[in-house]
Each structure stands twice: as structure tokens, then as C-alpha cells.
Amino acid sequence: MAILYRATLVPTKMELINSWLPQQPWFQEADEATLKSLGSFRFDDPDGEVGVETIVVAGESAVYQNPLTYRGAPLQDADSYLITTMDHSVLGKRWVYDAAGDPVYVAGLANAVLAGQPQAEQIVDTDGKLELLPEAIHLESTGPVDADIPATAHSSTETMDGVTTIRTSDLELLVARVLTPAEGPTSGTVLTATWDGQVEPALVATAKGI
């Protein structure tokens, strides 16, 4: 599960997305676009140290997924993936990364795509009272629950045409930055998402063996 806090964030998550996303080559909106949050999903960090959240936002022209990781200290050799730092009124200073370059996200995504590992339950801590948040984004995988998950360390990334390819020694993970319906057969195992107003599954990521 992911424990969240009723906290003040500077900048807010939508402020950082509104600043960062328009600079990316897959952004399809006009200048001064208004982005709306459609919800988010999280993966668990087994060590409980890193927040792993994908925020889905909609513009006038497209829907975008923004995988982020939140850390209490800088991630070594990951300056090119650093989006910003954030002041969290409970947890203090947080380093926010494009999660494609964070090994904790890569491991969580591999487990979700290949084995259908459920997304983390999001629980809000309000002065010691815990509240389960409803699931805003629903994920589905075509992978078997007993799938073997190859090692995901030593990854590299490359983004072309709105798809970020994360390569490890045994696996390629293709992350769709723009969410569109998953149409027709796809080579590899896929992860799709639905949300309020989106009944047709949208392709989130594909996993392929090397």
C-alpha cells in the first residue's frame, strides 16, 4: 500500500506537470493549454522509501501519462531525469524524477505488465486516521500471475514518437506517453488502463523479451 498525507506541496503536482509536460516532444496541445487531472495509480516500493505515482492528465488533444517518483534524497547518476524538487509539509524536501529513469519504477512496471501485480492501494493519513482512496485508474495486464520477472537493473531509456523504451539485459518496456486505445493484437505482454469516461482500454505499456 501507499501511505499518503494531507500535506501542502510546493510546487503542487499539477503545477510541476504544467511546467514540465509542455516541454516534452510528445506534448500535442496549443500554448497555454489547460490540463485536467484524471487520476493516478501507484506501484509499491518494497523498501517503502520511494513514492511511485503515475498521474494521468487530459488536454484538448490527447491524454498523457506522467510516471513520477518521489525521493527523500537525489538518485545517483539520474540528473537528466530530475524534474524538480518539491517541499512536502510532512516529509520535507522531495526530489521528483521522470520515473522512466528510476529503477524502482522500472521494477514495479515490469511486475505490473508481466504478472499483473495490482497497483498499490492509496491510503491517506489524516492526523492518524487512515482512509482508503477509491481507485481512479483501473489497470489490466495480459500477463499470467505466475510469470517469471527478469532482473530489471542496469536499464537505459530512449524516447521516440511518444514512446519511451526502457531496456534491461533481458527485457524491453515500452511506455506510452500518450494514452490511446489498445487496438488489435500487440506483440508482447501489455498493460492497459480505464478510468471514468474511458471505457475502451488504453495502452499504458508493453513488455517484450530480448
Side-chain angles (χ1 to χ4, degrees), residues 18-194:
N18 274 292
S19 175
W20 177 78
L21 182 57
Q23 302 176 41
Q24 308 313 308
W26 55 85
F27 191 67
Q28 301 177 14
E29 309 302 316
D31 293 339
E32 306 300 325
T34 298
L35 299 174
K36 174 186 176 183
S37 175
L38 299 178
S40 70
F41 59 88
R42 287 180 177 254
F43 299 141
D44 275 319
D45 172 18
D47 295 328
E49 297 293 331
V50 180
V52 185
E53 180 179 29
T54 295
I55 300 174
V56 179
V57 301
E60 292 295 327
S61 301
V63 175
Y64 308 88
Q65 69 160 326
N66 302 276
L68 307 172
T69 54
Y70 313 112
R71 287 177 168 266
L75 175 61
Q76 187 175 0
D77 300 324
D79 289 351
S80 62
Y81 298 99
L82 181 65
I83 296 176
T84 189
T85 57
M86 171 188 288
D87 292 322
H88 190 292
S89 62
V90 176
L91 299 177
K93 188 174 182 178
R94 308 292 281 171
W95 280 257
V96 185
Y97 290 90
D98 175 358
D102 194 314
V104 175
Y105 168 77
V106 175
L109 180 63
N111 276 278
V113 178
L114 291 172
Q117 178 172 293
Q119 61 183 286
E121 291 185 331
Q122 301 192 54
I123 297 178
V124 177
D125 184 335
T126 305
D127 298 326
K129 182 179 179 181
L130 301 182
E131 174 188 359
L132 177 64
L133 294 181
E135 185 180 271
I137 309 288
H138 179 69
L139 301 179
E140 290 283 350
S141 166
T142 60
V145 295
D146 58 350
D148 291 328
I149 309 300
T152 55
H154 309 296
S155 62
S156 65
T157 65
E158 178 185 23
T159 299
M160 293 183 62
D161 300 326
V163 176
T164 296
T165 301
I166 304 170
R167 294 184 178 91
T168 73
S169 58
D170 300 307
L171 186 66
E172 280 189 349
L173 293 165
L174 285 69
V175 181
R177 299 290 190 159
V178 178
L179 298 183
T180 58
E183 298 177 346
T186 302
S187 61
T189 306
V190 302
L191 183 70
T192 59
T194 54

